[in-house]
């Protein structure tokens, strides 16, 4: 026999986005019932897990598909900036929840994880440099770094700097 649950809001998946949305709904409409349904044994084990995705949210730091290059060679940053702006709003909301003592220890779920885009070949390196320069025009991406120096890349990502990985095809 299947159990029936009456609820005002059903959130599917126990990741960071459902948790954040649930908290936001609770702040705006505390009288609404909210149920989060997760098929795995624990929450945040799939897309929200740092090994499977961006961890706590997308910030558009390394997702190259958020900065398409058009036929004229112009790299468009609108989508990346929009996603980063949304991520900044999420961080502000989490900070509010901490101030309100709704979150006890933000280090339990908010961690800074370095992001990196690695490309090979003249065409892709040229694109990545143009992407970097285009994103640098926004204050949201001012801390982003760019390098083609093998020693710098080796410091950032030692596992991808073996000779076989850096050879141009």
């Amino acid at each position: 026999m299947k159990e029936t649950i009456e609820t005002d809001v059903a959130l599917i998946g126990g990741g960071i986005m459902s948790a954040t949305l649930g908290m936001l709904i609770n702040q705006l409409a505390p009288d609404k019932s909210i149920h989060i349904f997760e098929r795995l044994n624990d929450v945040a084990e799939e897309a929200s897990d740092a090994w499977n995705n961006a961890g706590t949210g997308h910030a558009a730091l390394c997702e190259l598909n958020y900065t398409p290059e058009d036929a004229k060679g112009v790299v468009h940053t609108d989508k990346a900036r929009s996603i980063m702006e949304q991520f900044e709003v999420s961080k502000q909301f989490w900070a509010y929840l901490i101030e309100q003592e709704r979150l006890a220890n933000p280090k339990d779920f908010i961690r800074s994880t370095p992001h990196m885009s690695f490309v090979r070949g003249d065409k892709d390196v040229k694109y990545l440099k143009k992407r970097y320069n285009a994103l640098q025009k926004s204050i949201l991406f001012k801390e982003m770094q760019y390098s083609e120096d093998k020693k710098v890349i080796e410091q950032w990502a030692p596992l991808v700097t073996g000779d076989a990985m850096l050879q141009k095809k």
Side-chain angles (χ1 to χ4, degrees), residues 1 4 6 24 26 40-41 54 59 71 73 78 82 86 89 102-103 108 118 121 146-147 155 162 166 168:
M1 175 183 229
T4 301
E6 301 250 350
L24 181 59
N26 182 257
L40 299 175
N41 293 330
D78 294 352
S82 175
Q86 293 170 41
V89 170
R102 300 291 303 267
L103 292 175
D108 287 343
F118 178 81
Y146 177 87
S147 183
Q155 290 175 346
L166 291 178
K168 292 183 181 179

Side-chain angles (χ1 to χ4, degrees), residues 33-120:
S33 63
I34 302 169
H35 286 85
I36 298 177
F37 298 92
E38 174 58 60
R39 68 178 173 83
L40 299 175
N41 293 330
D42 205 353
V43 297
E45 287 189 334
E46 203 164 56
S48 292
D49 183 81
W51 287 106
N52 298 333
N53 205 338
T56 59
H58 284 287
L61 294 170
C62 65
E63 295 88 358
L64 302 180
N65 58 313
Y66 294 162
T67 51
E69 182 177 17
D70 67 20
K72 294 180 182 178
V74 176
V75 175
H76 295 276
T77 61
D78 294 352
K79 185 173 183 178
R81 282 186 290 114
S82 175
I83 289 168
M84 178 61 96
E85 288 167 359
Q86 293 170 41
F87 184 61
E88 289 298 318
V89 170
S90 294
K91 291 193 307 186
Q92 291 172 13
F93 179 62
W94 298 331
Y96 166 79
L97 293 175
I98 293 162
E99 289 172 6
Q100 298 297 309
E101 298 181 351
R102 300 291 303 267
L103 292 175
N105 185 2
K107 291 181 180 180
D108 287 343
F109 81 97
I110 299 175
R111 295 174 197 86
S112 179
T113 304
H115 289 69
M116 186 173 129
S117 296
F118 178 81
V119 298
R120 299 186 310 191

Side-chain angles (χ1 to χ4, degrees), residues 158-169:
L159 296 178
V160 299
T161 55
D163 290 335
M165 293 300 293
L166 291 178
Q167 289 177 0
K168 292 183 181 179
K169 293 193 174 199

